[in-house]
Amino acid sequence: DIVMTQSPDSLAVSLGERATINCKSGQSVLYSSNNKNYLAWYQQKVGQPPKLLIYWASTRESGVPDRFSGSGSGTDFTLTISSLQAEDVAVYYCQQYYSTPYTFGQGTKLEIK
Amino acid sequence: QVQLVQSGAEVKKPGASVKVSCKASGYSFTSYYMHWVRQAPGQGLEWMGIINPSGRSTSYAQKFQGRVTMTRDTSTNTVYMELSSLRSEDTAVYYCARDTTSGAVAGNLFDYWGQGTLVTVSS
């Protein structure tokens, strides 16, 4: 199984400031034949199911604000929120969809400082 | 609009089985694979398996092989997940989640989710 490790486990950021969450995979999730990283990011607010934010490591899902961006390749990835809004308080998960079982990071809890 | 509506909360004794349903609407049911993902209280997300509503084919995470069965009913646009030999560690919210990609090959990420079904296993 591909182990996904996120850092930090929790993060407190002031409104309007940048938030950065990291995700490291136990093996590369870059598929050489199409040069795509099989890495997604989800946001889960309290009491709600997860919401897809980013796929292919850097492609925003339709309707996701452009303050959310993803980067990275191979085994190291980053989710950045450029200017934190109150509604961004949530737990964020990375997920690899390179191989079964499709695995998630342990989550990063984002709060307002 | 796409909706996935799951069955209600369940309380089961250790060793019993539970069957959770997920009724889909707002899209072509047989065009998108469906996944099941669970989340233990206060914990992260765990992928359980996938079903092709069109052809019945399934693939399960090794961890659940032999205990999980995913089925579908195309007459009601409903998928089911049955988990047997329940133990306390199976206490979790179970989600159905639609695959992002229509067609023969699944994308293996999830764009629409059900509201979740809490399954509590307790003696």
Side-chain angles (χ1 to χ4, degrees):
Chain A
D1 297 5
I2 298 178
V3 176
M4 307 299 290
T5 304
Q6 293 181 225
S7 61
D9 289 334
S10 63
L11 181 62
V13 174
S14 300
L15 289 172
E17 295 300 303
R18 177 184 300 260
T20 301
I21 298 170
N22 301 300
C23 174
K24 188 174 185 69
S25 58
Q27 65 186 73
S28 176
V29 297
L30 174 64
Y31 194 38
S32 55
S33 66
N34 59 11
N35 201 36
K36 288 189 172 186
N37 288 284
Y38 284 61
L39 189 285
W41 289 96
Y42 296 83
Q43 173 194 65
Q44 186 177 31
K45 297 182 179 180
V46 171
Q48 297 183 17
K51 173 187 175 183
L52 178 63
L53 296 177
I54 302 277
Y55 56 96
W56 301 132
S58 61
T59 301
R60 262 190 309 277
E61 173 74 333
S62 175
V64 173
D66 61 6
R67 64 179 180 274
F68 291 91
S69 64
S71 63
S73 184
T75 61
D76 292 280
F77 301 91
T78 300
L79 174 70
T80 301
I81 307 172
S82 60
S83 176
L84 189 70
Q85 305 299 304
E87 60 265 33
D88 301 334
V89 169
V91 179
Y92 292 83
Y93 295 94
C94 59
Q95 178 226 340
Q96 65 81 16
Y97 49 105
Y98 182 89
S99 65
T100 60
Y102 307 114
T103 47
F104 295 84
Q106 80 277 16
T108 294
K109 186 176 184 179
L110 178 59
E111 300 173 311
I112 305 294
K113 186 187 290 184
Chain B
Q1 72 283 19
V2 174
Q3 281 196 304
L4 302 176
V5 179
Q6 298 184 220
S7 49
E10 303 261 14
V11 179
K12 296 291 183 181
K13 293 196 183 302
S17 297
V18 68
K19 190 171 185 177
V20 179
S21 68
C22 169
K23 183 173 176 59
S25 62
Y27 71 97
S28 173
F29 175 69
T30 54
S31 295
Y32 291 80
Y33 287 73
M34 195 74 79
H35 303 259
W36 288 89
V37 176
R38 77 177 187 179
Q39 186 170 36
Q43 302 301 309
L45 300 161
E46 183 173 34
W47 180 81
M48 299 180 68
I50 181 174
I51 181 168
N52 179 354
S54 174
R56 296 192 196 182
S57 64
T58 56
S59 176
Y60 305 136
Q62 182 73 23
K63 175 177 180 176
F64 301 103
Q65 286 277 1
R67 285 209 301 143
V68 70
T69 305
M70 296 177 188
T71 57
R72 96 294 191 240
D73 182 344
T74 55
S75 69
T76 60
N77 289 355
T78 302
V79 294
Y80 300 90
M81 187 283 299
E82 184 169 22
L83 189 63
S84 63
S85 303
L86 290 168
R87 36 216 189 220
S88 58
E89 310 90 88
D90 294 318
T91 294
V93 175
Y94 289 77
Y95 293 103
C96 58
R98 195 189 78 163
D99 195 275
T100 54
T101 304
S102 65
V105 179
N108 300 314
L109 63 165
F110 326 114
D111 57 0
Y112 289 93
W113 297 65
Q115 83 275 19
T117 296
L118 175 62
V119 175
T120 303
V121 183
S122 174
S123 55

